[in-house]
């Protein structure tokens, strides 16, 4: 994948250069006398640039660490439209006092309807006057004689001051005015700007000669000589690049292969679509074994397979039936004591275990000593979830030599575990139809505890003798997918096949 | 894995003292079994398919007695002669097409220890487990238990007219015609197909004509009703496969043999030839040589150690020149060859990681001959900005169909349509990756080197697995020319120059696809993906595709036309 479409010069795009207004503003800051710093208007005036340009330039200079600002947060009050009306016409409580004074007698509640106040304002004004002791006691409404009617209310004193933006207003009065919707608070920030240490140290080049990008035109026209290059903020964020990557899982598998090659194992490959003969029969798996049912093994439509070499087929059939192989006097064992269905041997199935690859190789009679491995796909009818997949990879290995025993098999497990940095190995007995003895090697993972990764055993005589192999052969089939999940820190097997390009571009799954 | 829930109290009774879970875990290590706490006074035990004998209290008790060194050798349960009492089952030839095999054993309680409720329950539980496992849900083998003292041998196993049979089902209280039983009983609904053929059904009757059972469906009362207090039982197994029938019967006898019951085989006769004893219940003999044991284990065992290990495995062994002769009890069908006995000895002694050894290799390891070429191809594609993918060989039906890949092999019973075909080209997988990444910025360049499966009537399995290297480019300007250029670049990097020939390739725009041929062999396919394919997958960009057949390309390197 290349650069994103529509890409521009990343140096320009990142904002590393200084524009003319920025240069001018920075120059003003650098030459300003010491003190609290300059306000934006002062910078605009001195730099001879509009105030909006000054504000933007100062912010960008700050983003480039070339300017700093001291900020002072101010709260200023102003009259609302209702507050302005009250200033001009009087507060409702003043209007009510005037109405009572004009009446010259105590009034009943019904009489107050002519005061010119709407019911809610009238009700609020009565409350204020009563709380302030400006109404005489009693059910009717009359001005209290104890307080001169013309005495101003605190709010009446505050409104002109707020209107003119001067004087101190008691906070209780301000709160009252705000609550009554006559006054609102406005918060403003006053900034004073000065050049940062880096802004003062930055070499500033004046004039239009300071340029940004190196362009082909400039190079070919020789106009780059004698010009000054705008310095860039080398710490600014730059666009993210992504390049071609290998798939992390495949890289890990290849590293594992190198370990095997180093231990003297050579690679084998085999067909993904196998016959039942190689997938199971030659492995001495009984034809009625549950793992051979269509609930476990995947078949195909429209494909016809062929039986193996007739001689080999008869020898394997004899091992299954527990009768002597052609030309021999006694059977290898009682076998499965069941008729062997020769027609089934040719049936094609998706390979369910890489051991089929090993057995194919053994049928070619490799000369001992030999060590082989195969890392390849297998298929089983597993429902797909975080730990199971219909398609998975196994690492199969065989080593054959006179004297090969269980100890060499365990030694192989130890060597492989150590090569991938695991020292704790535990061996448990196990069961596989084609090996005896059979074992499983468990390794200890720091987070997951003991996990089974090394199943193996020694091939049974019912496997080896029909193939004509006369040396003991140790075989193992590592769940390499499981091992890779642990090594790569992946918890869901499906992620091995997800191919999210955003993640692959970062080299992770 | 087969599993069962067993009573710790009954195990304790076998061992002679209480048995605890943690002790069980330790003792069962060598048996491959796993044990977990169960409800109440029980444990759940899971075994490998070869050790079904551990799934009843009797079998596990025998194992524990040996592992603890309390009792060694096989229980003396097997009758000495084939037919000591002249008991016989006459198997009528009529059963041959349907369920030809029958075997039986008579189990006799030790004096003063008749069948109790616990043992009866254990036997019935184990019987059902064996039906499900060894018997493949009674298809290959099924078992019957009968009170031996309630009927008179010889028995007759035959196929007779349904209309001639009336039984009292084991769970019923009055006689019913077999026809009605077959049409109404739940077990008949499930298993009648295994025991009937047209208008006839299988029966097992005694000499007086009493029906013991309708194999493999259900026993009949009273001849087939086992109750507490019985002192002898007839254990019978019918089926379609002799080995399974033997295994089932041998394992069933274990429940009783473990408690000191005696097992006597029952002769089965057919009109011709002469009556023969059941082949497996008496057990069989196997030899274990010192040489085999040493070869498998990689070490020498003192003779007394081997003898003790075999005795603790609860088999009877006799030392012979160069080895041992072992009598395999009928409940150990997993012991079929010398290597199986060797494993018993090795496991009894324990397997220790520190005994592992890997001598320096006398072989030189190497990867496949073509892997170096694939590495070089990978380097070229990475250098050209292609990202490597890892996709499955099984591909989705809808995508394969949209691309028109009619040659892709169809899976018979797929897990889901997402894995319904085997890919015959990496093109399918790579398009799938592009479709899954439409939100990722363009251009996108992807490649994969992997296997494809192509129908090939000459191949042994009917299909050939081939190595391909495929690439796709999705960008505003992607098209045939770019695909062709990449194919040229890659082949020429290996010194091979090809000639393009028009071809009609699946999933591409007609007239914009070609095969690249070298020395007359088509080594690559190239094309511009058809808009219908792109739109169907919501791909917003044109896509160029190229795919090299590496199995064809590599052999051509260095030949005429290549450098």
């Amino acid at each position: 994948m290349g650069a994103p479409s529509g890409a521009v010069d990343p140096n320009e795009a990142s904002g590393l250069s200084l524009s003319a207004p920025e240069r001018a503003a920075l120059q003003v800051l650098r030459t300003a006398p010491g003190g609290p710093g300059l306000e934006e208007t002062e910078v605009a005036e001195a730099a001879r640039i509009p105030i909006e340009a000054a504000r933007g330039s100062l912010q960008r200079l700050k983003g480039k660490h070339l300017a700093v600002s001291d900020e002072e947060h101010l709260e200023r009050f102003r009259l609302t439209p209702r507050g302005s009306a009250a200033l001009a016409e009087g507060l409702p409580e003043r209007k009510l006092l005037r109405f009572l004074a004009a009446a010259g007698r105590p009034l009943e509640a019904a009489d107050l309807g002519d005061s010119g106040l709407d019911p809610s304002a009238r009700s609020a004004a009565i409350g204020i006057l009563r709380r302030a002791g400006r109404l005489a006691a009693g059910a009717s409404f009359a001005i209290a004689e104890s307080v001169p009617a013309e005495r101003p209310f605190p709010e009446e004193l505050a409104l002109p001051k707020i209107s003119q933006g001067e004087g101190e207003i008691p906070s209780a009065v301000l709160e009252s005015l705000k609550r009554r919707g006559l006054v609102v608070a406005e918060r403003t920030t006053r900034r004073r700007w000065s050049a940062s240490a880096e802004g003062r140290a930055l070499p500033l080049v004046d004039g239009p000669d300071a340029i940004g990008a190196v362009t082909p035109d400039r190079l070919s026209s020789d106009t780059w000589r004698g010009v000054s290059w705008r310095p860039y903020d080398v710490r600014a964020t730059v666009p993210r690049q992504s390049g071609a990557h290998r798939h992390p899982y495949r890289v890990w598998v290849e590293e594992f292969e190198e370990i095997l090659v180093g231990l003297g194992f050579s690679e084998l490959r085999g067909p993904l679509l196998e016959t039942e003969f190689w997938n199971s029969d030659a492995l001495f798996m009984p034809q009625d074994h549950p793992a051979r049912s269509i609930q476990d093994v995947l078949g195909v439509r429209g494909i016809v397979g062929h039986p193996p070499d007739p001689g080999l087929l008869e020898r394997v059939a004899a091992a299954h039936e527990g009768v002597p192989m052609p030309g021999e006097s006694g059977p290898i064992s009682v076998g499965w004591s069941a008729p062997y269905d020769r027609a089934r041997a040719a049936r094609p199935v998706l390979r369910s275990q890489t051991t089929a690859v090993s057995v194919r190789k053994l049928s070619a009679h490799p000369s001992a000593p030999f060590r082989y491995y195969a890392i390849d796909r297998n298929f089983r009818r597993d429902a797909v979830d975080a730990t199971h997949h219909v398609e998975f990879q196994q690492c199969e290995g065989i080593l054959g030599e006179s004297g090969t025993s269980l100890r060499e098999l365990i030694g192989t497990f130890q060597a492989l575990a150590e090569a991938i940095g695991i020292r704790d190995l535990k061996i448990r007995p196990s069961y596989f139809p084609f090996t005896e003895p059979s074992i499983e090697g468990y390794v200890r993972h720091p987070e997951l505890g003991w996990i089974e990764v090394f199943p193996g055993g020694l091939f049974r005589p019912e496997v080896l003798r029909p193939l004509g192999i006369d040396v003991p052969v140790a075989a193992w089939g590592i769940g390499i997918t499981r091992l890779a999940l642990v090594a790569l820190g992946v918890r869901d097997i499906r992620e091995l096949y997800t191919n999210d390009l955003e993640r692959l571009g970062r080299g992770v799954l | 894995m087969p599993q069962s829930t067993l009573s710790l109290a009954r195990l304790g009774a076998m061992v002679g003292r209480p048995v605890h879970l943690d002790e069980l875990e330790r003792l069962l290590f060598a048996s491959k079994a796993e044990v977990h706490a169960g409800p109440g006074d029980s444990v759940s035990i899971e075994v490998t398919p070869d050790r079904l004998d551990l799934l009843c209290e009797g079998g596990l008790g025998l194992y524990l007695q040996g592992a603890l060194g309390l009792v060694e050798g096989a229980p003396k349960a097997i009758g000495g002669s084939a037919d000591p009492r002249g008991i016989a089952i006459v198997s009528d030839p009529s059963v041959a097409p349907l369920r030809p095999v029958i075997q039986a054993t008579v189990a006799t309680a030790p004096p003063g220890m008749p069948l109790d409720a616990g043992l009866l329950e254990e036997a019935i539980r184990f019987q059902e487990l064996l039906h499900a496992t060894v018997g493949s849900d009674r298809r290959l083998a099924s078992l019957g238990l009968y009170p031996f003292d309630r009927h008179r041998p010889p028995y007759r196993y035959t196929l007779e007219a349904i209309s001639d049979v009336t039984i009292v089902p084991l769970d019923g209280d009055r006689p019913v015609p077999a026809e009605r039983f077959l049409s109404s009983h739940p077990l008949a609904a499930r298993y009648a197909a295994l025991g009937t053929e047209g208008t006839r059904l299988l029966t097992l009757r005694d000499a007086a004509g009493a029906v013991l059972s309708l194999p493999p469906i259900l026993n009949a009362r009273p001849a087939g009703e086992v109750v507490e207090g019985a002192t002898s039982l007839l254990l019978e197994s019918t089926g379609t496969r002799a080995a399974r029938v033997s295994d089932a019967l041998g394992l069933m006898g274990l429940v009783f043999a473990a408690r000191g019951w005696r097992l006597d085989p029952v002769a089965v006769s057919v009109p011709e030839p002469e009556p023969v004893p059941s082949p497996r219940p008496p057990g069989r003999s196997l030899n274990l040589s010192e040489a085999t044991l040493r070869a498998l284990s990689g070490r020498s065992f003192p003779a007394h150690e081997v003898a003790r290990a075999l005795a603790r495995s609860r088999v009877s062994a006799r030392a012979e020149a160069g080895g041992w002769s072992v009598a395999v009890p009928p409940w150990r069908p997993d012991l079929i060859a010398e290597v199986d006995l060797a494993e018993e000895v090795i496991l009894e002694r324990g397997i220790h990681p520190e005994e592992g050894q890997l001598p320096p290799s006398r072989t030189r390891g190497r990867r496949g001959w073509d892997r170096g070429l694939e590495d070089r191809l990978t380097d070229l594609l990475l250098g050209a900005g292609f990202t490597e993918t890892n996709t499955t060989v099984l591909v989705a039906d809808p995508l394969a169909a949209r691309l028109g890949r009619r040659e892709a092999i169809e899976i018979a019973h797929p897990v889901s349509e997402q894995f319904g075909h085997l890919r015959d080209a990496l093109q399918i997988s790579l398009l799938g990756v592009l479709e899954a990444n439409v939100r990722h910025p363009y251009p996108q360049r992807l490649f994969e080197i992997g296997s494809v499966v192509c129908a090939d009537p000459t191949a042994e399995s009917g299909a050939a697995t081939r190595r391909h290297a495929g690439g796709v480019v999705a960008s505003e300007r992607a098209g045939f020319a770019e695909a062709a250029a990449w194919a040229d670049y890659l082949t020429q990097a290996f010194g091979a120059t090809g000639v393009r020939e028009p071809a009609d390739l699946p999933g591409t725009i007609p007239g914009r696809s070609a095969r690249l041929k070298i020395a007359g062999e088509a080594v690559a396919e190239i094309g511009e993906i058809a808009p219908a394919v792109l739109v169907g997958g919501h791909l917003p960009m044109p896509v160029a595709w190229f795919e090299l057949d590496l199995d064809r390309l590599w052999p051509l390197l260095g030949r005429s036309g290549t450098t």
Side-chain angles (χ1 to χ4, degrees):
Chain A
M1 287 155 290
S5 58
V8 296
D9 179 351
N11 292 322
E12 294 289 356
S14 66
L16 295 172
S17 63
L18 292 186
S19 65
E22 289 167 18
R23 262 198 331 277
L26 183 58
Q27 190 67 48
V28 168
L29 295 180
R30 282 159 47 131
T31 55
L38 301 177
E39 291 196 31
E40 287 157 357
T41 51
E42 293 172 317
V43 173
E45 189 177 329
R48 297 179 182 174
I49 56 177
I51 180 64
E52 294 79 10
R55 283 199 187 105
S57 296
L58 288 167
Q59 287 294 349
R60 287 194 293 277
L61 288 171
K62 187 178 181 181
K64 295 172 184 176
H65 309 284
L66 300 175
V68 292
S69 64
D70 278 336
E71 295 183 351
E72 184 183 1
H73 300 288
L74 304 172
E75 192 174 53
R76 181 174 167 274
F77 297 92
R78 67 170 175 81
L79 300 181
T80 64
R82 282 177 62 197
S84 297
L87 178 63
E89 302 165 11
L91 290 165
E93 55 268 33
R94 175 59 62 193
K95 288 181 179 174
L96 190 58
L97 277 183
R98 286 185 197 135
F99 180 68
L100 292 172
R105 60 178 176 87
L107 296 176
E108 297 305 316
D111 301 328
L112 299 182
D114 298 331
S115 63
L117 296 171
D118 62 57
S120 65
R122 190 166 67 234
S123 175
I126 292 169
I128 291 169
L129 292 175
R130 287 212 185 279
R131 281 195 297 278
R134 305 291 289 266
L135 291 180
S140 56
F141 297 92
I143 298 173
E145 293 178 356
S146 56
V147 183
E150 61 276 11
R151 178 184 290 180
F153 294 93
E155 289 82 356
E156 285 179 307
L157 296 173
L159 287 176
K161 291 181 181 178
I162 292 170
S163 173
Q164 292 163 16
E166 50 187 47
E168 290 292 319
I169 313 290
S171 60
V173 177
L174 275 174
E175 283 306 309
S176 168
L177 291 171
K178 282 197 286 185
R179 199 167 51 244
R180 295 174 65 179
L182 301 173
V183 165
V184 291
E186 283 185 338
R187 291 176 180 81
T188 58
T189 300
R190 184 158 60 194
R191 292 185 180 84
R192 291 185 174 279
W193 294 86
S194 50
S196 68
E198 291 167 49
R200 291 182 191 285
L202 186 73
L204 270 186
V205 180
D206 292 332
D209 289 338
I211 56 177
V214 178
T215 62
D217 283 349
R218 198 173 288 281
L219 290 172
S220 61
S221 63
D222 234 22
T223 54
W224 59 272
R225 295 184 190 279
V227 302
S228 298
W229 303 96
R230 282 183 214 148
Y232 293 152
D233 177 0
V234 296
R235 291 173 302 189
T237 305
V238 296
R240 194 163 79 194
Q241 292 283 14
S242 65
H245 272 264
R246 292 219 55 198
H247 195 283
Y249 173 64
R250 291 190 166 214
V251 172
W252 187 88
V253 169
E254 287 182 11
E255 289 170 358
F256 195 79
E257 276 189 281
E258 288 177 14
I259 297 169
L260 293 167
V261 170
L263 291 173
F265 288 84
S266 292
E267 186 182 14
L268 296 176
R269 282 206 200 121
L272 296 177
L273 190 68
E274 265 293 8
T275 60
E276 286 210 30
F277 178 82
W278 292 109
N279 195 57
S280 303
D281 293 349
L283 290 169
F284 192 56
M285 288 182 70
Q287 290 187 310
D288 58 9
H289 194 285
R292 295 183 62 167
S293 70
I294 63 166
Q295 279 77 37
D296 286 274
V297 176
L298 289 159
V300 293
R301 293 190 198 280
I303 300 294
V304 178
H306 307 288
D309 167 74
L312 179 59
L313 179 65
E314 287 310 312
R315 291 196 295 278
V316 168
H320 278 249
E321 292 178 342
V323 300
M325 292 193 295
E328 297 201 359
S329 57
I332 304 170
S333 72
V334 297
W336 301 115
S337 302
Y340 175 80
D341 181 358
R342 288 159 177 76
R344 198 170 158 182
R347 199 182 296 171
V349 291
L350 266 68
R351 190 177 64 205
S352 61
Q353 51 204 347
T354 334
T355 319
V357 181
S358 297
V359 176
R360 269 188 179 274
K361 182 64 184 179
L362 291 177
S363 73
H365 305 122
S367 57
F370 54 79
R371 294 182 182 188
Y372 292 106
Y373 79 92
I375 300 179
D376 212 344
R377 306 288 177 92
N378 296 294
F379 309 86
R380 287 182 194 165
R381 289 195 91 259
D382 275 340
V384 178
D385 59 25
T387 55
H388 298 85
H389 206 285
V390 66
E391 185 172 330
F392 60 99
Q393 210 155 14
Q394 265 185 341
C395 176
E396 172 81 13
I398 51 173
L399 61 162
E401 185 174 359
S402 175
T404 295
S405 71
L406 208 52
R407 299 180 69 179
E408 282 69 33
L409 181 64
I410 296 171
T412 305
F413 291 170
Q414 285 173 324
L416 291 173
E418 283 176 16
I420 56 174
I422 296 173
R423 294 204 171 275
D424 290 336
L425 176 70
K426 186 168 76 175
I427 303 293
R428 267 187 76 101
S430 189
Y431 170 76
F432 307 106
F434 38 88
T435 54
E436 190 83 341
S438 304
I439 58 174
E440 282 172 329
Y442 288 70
V443 297
R444 198 202 312 256
H445 184 267
E447 293 172 19
L448 305 176
W450 291 101
I451 53 173
E452 174 208 334
V453 288
F454 296 127
L458 296 171
F459 272 135
R460 296 185 65 96
E462 293 92 338
V463 174
L464 295 179
R465 286 186 54 192
L467 298 172
I469 299 295
D470 55 7
V471 294
V473 178
W476 40 263
I478 299 174
I480 196 166
T481 303
R482 178 180 293 190
L483 207 56
L485 291 177
V486 173
L488 296 170
V490 177
R491 294 198 177 269
D492 191 326
I493 194 171
R494 290 168 290 198
E495 290 182 18
L496 299 181
Y497 306 108
T498 300
N499 297 296
D500 180 331
L501 294 185
E502 196 277 326
R503 294 172 68 85
L504 289 182
R506 288 188 281 124
V508 298
L509 283 174
Chain B
M1 302 290 268
Q3 60 181 359
S4 185
T5 301
L6 305 182
S7 158
L8 276 173
R10 289 185 62 76
L11 285 174
M14 283 284 298
V15 173
R17 65 169 175 78
V19 179
H20 302 290
L21 182 64
D22 52 349
E23 184 183 25
L24 264 184
E25 284 177 348
R26 181 174 57 79
L27 293 171
L28 284 171
F29 182 80
S31 74
K32 317 165 197 176
E34 289 189 13
V35 64
H36 306 283
D41 168 46
S42 69
V43 287
S44 171
I45 180 166
E46 189 175 355
V47 300
T48 52
D50 59 326
R51 292 305 303 264
L52 296 175
D53 58 298
L54 300 177
L55 291 182
C56 64
E57 284 93 348
L60 186 55
L62 277 190
Y63 174 89
L64 295 176
Q65 289 170 348
L68 291 166
L70 302 173
V71 186
E72 297 182 346
K76 302 195 183 315
I78 310 302
S81 68
D83 188 12
R85 305 188 201 177
I87 306 161
I89 293 177
V90 177
S91 180
D92 192 274
S94 61
V95 303
L98 186 59
R99 201 169 179 85
V101 186
I102 183 166
Q103 295 177 18
T105 297
V106 171
T108 308
M113 296 180 66
L115 183 70
D116 62 25
L119 188 56
L120 177 59
E121 186 195 333
E122 178 183 333
I124 292 170
R125 203 162 10 97
F126 197 46
Q127 177 190 20
E128 288 308 313
L129 185 137
L130 294 174
H131 279 159
T133 52
V134 181
S136 293
D137 198 19
R138 307 193 190 193
R139 185 171 54 83
L140 301 181
S142 64
L143 287 154
L145 275 65
Y146 312 95
F148 183 61
D149 52 5
R150 289 205 193 174
H151 28 77
R152 189 156 56 85
Y155 305 95
R156 185 172 183 79
Y157 175 49
T158 187
L159 193 63
E160 57 183 299
I162 294 174
S163 56
D164 292 345
V165 181
T166 296
I167 64 161
V168 181
L170 195 58
D171 53 356
D173 54 10
R174 68 186 66 176
V176 292
E179 190 170 6
R180 194 194 311 164
F181 167 78
L182 291 173
S183 63
S184 61
H185 198 279
L187 283 176
R190 192 167 171 185
Y191 299 114
L194 304 176
T196 59
E197 186 187 64
T199 58
R200 299 189 297 171
L201 87 168
L202 293 171
T203 60
L204 181 66
R205 294 180 187 262
D206 73 355
V211 177
L212 276 70
S213 69
L214 305 180
I217 308 170
L218 189 64
N219 284 13
R221 293 177 65 188
E225 184 180 20
V226 177
V227 294
E228 291 175 50
T231 56
S232 60
L233 300 173
L234 176 71
L235 315 181
E236 155 273 324
S237 179
T238 63
T240 56
R241 191 160 299 174
R244 294 294 188 103
V245 169
S246 291
D247 292 350
L249 190 61
L251 284 159
M252 193 68 241
L254 169 62
V255 172
F256 302 99
R259 273 51 178 246
W261 288 49
R262 177 187 167 87
L263 301 179
D264 289 302
V266 172
V268 175
S269 73
V270 291
E272 295 292 338
E274 289 300 305
V276 291
S278 300
R280 286 236 186 144
R284 59 192 177 281
S285 180
L286 280 177
N287 292 323
L288 172 62
S289 71
E290 287 175 343
T292 298
L293 182 56
R294 191 167 51 246
L296 289 173
S297 64
R299 66 184 295 273
S300 295
F301 284 84
H304 71 274
E305 216 176 275
V306 178
R308 193 186 64 182
L310 290 170
R312 289 191 166 192
S313 289
R314 307 308 307 272
V315 296
S316 297
R318 190 179 69 249
E320 292 184 341
W324 296 264
S325 173
V326 176
V328 178
W331 49 83
R332 290 298 304 273
D334 57 309
L335 303 179
I336 63 170
E338 189 179 15
V339 292
D340 301 309
L341 293 176
E343 188 193 55
E344 291 287 306
V345 176
I346 293 168
L347 294 187
E348 207 284 327
R349 182 183 167 274
I351 301 174
H352 309 290
E354 56 273 19
E355 292 180 355
Q357 61 177 19
L358 187 62
S361 173
R362 297 204 283 134
T363 57
R364 210 183 95 205
R366 57 182 181 274
R367 298 191 303 157
W369 66 271
D370 55 346
R371 294 293 300 280
L373 295 166
E374 290 188 0
D375 287 349
R376 200 168 148 205
L377 201 52
T378 298
D379 288 344
L380 288 168
L381 285 159
L382 285 170
F386 285 77
T387 283
E388 185 182 38
T389 65
N390 182 55
T391 56
T392 56
V393 179
L394 291 172
V395 292
D397 294 340
L399 185 54
R402 184 145 37 85
L403 280 162
R405 306 244 35 141
R406 294 186 190 86
E407 302 296 318
I409 297 171
E410 184 183 356
I411 303 301
H413 300 284
V415 173
S416 74
E417 68 169 16
Q418 284 303 303
F419 305 104
H421 279 80
L422 282 165
R423 69 182 175 201
D424 62 340
L426 293 168
Q427 179 203 44
I428 311 173
S429 303
L430 291 168
L431 260 289
V433 177
L434 287 177
E435 290 180 5
N437 283 280
V438 290
R439 292 186 177 177
H440 194 76
Y442 290 93
Q444 295 179 9
R445 294 192 178 112
L446 311 174
F447 84 98
E448 183 160 336
I449 298 176
S451 297
V452 303
V453 182
C454 305
D456 179 354
T458 66
E460 187 173 347
S461 66
T465 300
R466 309 185 66 83
R467 295 291 286 177
H468 278 201
V472 285
V473 178
S475 73
E476 290 180 9
R477 296 183 180 177
F480 176 81
E482 180 163 11
W486 285 121
D488 286 349
Y489 168 70
L490 295 172
T491 50
Q492 287 168 12
F494 289 92
T497 302
V499 177
R500 283 191 296 275
E501 290 185 3
D504 186 13
L505 301 178
T508 60
I509 299 173
R512 296 188 191 181
S513 54
R515 287 197 175 90
L516 186 69
K517 290 190 173 179
I518 296 174
E521 287 256 24
V523 299
E525 293 184 338
I526 308 153
E528 189 173 330
I529 300 299
V533 173
L534 302 177
V535 171
H538 305 290
L539 281 171
M541 291 281 166
V543 172
W545 157 69
F546 58 93
E547 186 153 342
L548 277 60
D549 185 333
L550 304 183
D551 288 333
R552 286 212 178 103
L553 176 62
W554 300 143
L556 294 173
L557 299 183
R559 278 174 47 179
S560 175
T562 66
T563 55

